[in-house]
Amino acid sequence: MIDGRQVAHKALELAAPKIAFVDNYVESSGSKTFRVVCKMLGAKENAFRAFLEETNVMYKLSGSWVPYQNHIDAGRFEVKTGAKNDHAFTQSRFTPKGFEYIAGKWAAFSQLDAEGVV
């Protein structure tokens, strides 16, 4: 018979690589651009962009990638808008909290992909 402690211990064992991955890359301050996050995660931009779209984290709006509102409300992104040379722009940046969140999701996805599950 398996008790709750054994189940919890097994779950922690399985999560350990993901936790270590996130701890390795999370910094405490400053927001990060999409390209910087890709470099830090070792992700190809096209694959990472597709992952963000498939997992309902970001979508394309008028040529810019924008996070869904629930992720903005959760403090995972900051969206900056402005104008430069008479051209309006929108830039979404990952907050430290957002980077931690997406790094964990990406690690789990990458592990499943490597195992051929995805």
Side-chain angles (χ1 to χ4, degrees):
M1 179 179 248
I2 299 175
D3 69 10
R5 283 186 280 183
Q6 289 174 322
V7 171
H9 182 69
K10 185 65 176 171
L12 281 174
E13 281 181 13
L14 291 172
K18 295 175 206 156
I19 293 168
F21 178 83
V22 171
D23 286 346
N24 255 349
Y25 290 99
V26 173
E27 293 179 11
S28 61
S29 64
S31 61
K32 295 169 184 43
T33 63
F34 174 83
R35 182 162 283 162
V36 169
V37 169
C38 286
K39 287 181 181 183
M40 291 177 72
L41 297 176
K44 292 184 179 178
E45 289 184 23
N46 288 338
F48 191 64
R49 193 173 284 115
F51 161 77
L52 292 173
E53 189 171 27
E54 289 170 15
T55 56
N56 295 322
V57 174
M58 297 184 89
Y59 62 98
K60 196 166 189 174
L61 177 68
S62 301
S64 295
W65 285 89
V66 182
Y68 282 94
Q69 189 64 45
N70 61 314
H71 295 290
I72 295 170
D73 293 343
R76 297 180 186 126
F77 289 91
E78 59 184 23
V79 179
K80 301 195 180 244
T81 58
K84 187 172 185 178
N85 301 328
D86 295 327
H87 177 72
F89 69 90
T90 301
Q91 184 184 45
S92 301
R93 297 175 64 96
F94 292 80
T95 64
K97 183 178 181 178
F99 181 77
E100 182 176 359
Y101 171 82
I102 208 63
K105 291 248 183 225
W106 178 253
F109 173 81
S110 297
Q111 186 175 2
L112 290 174
D113 191 33
E115 294 170 359
V117 176
V118 177

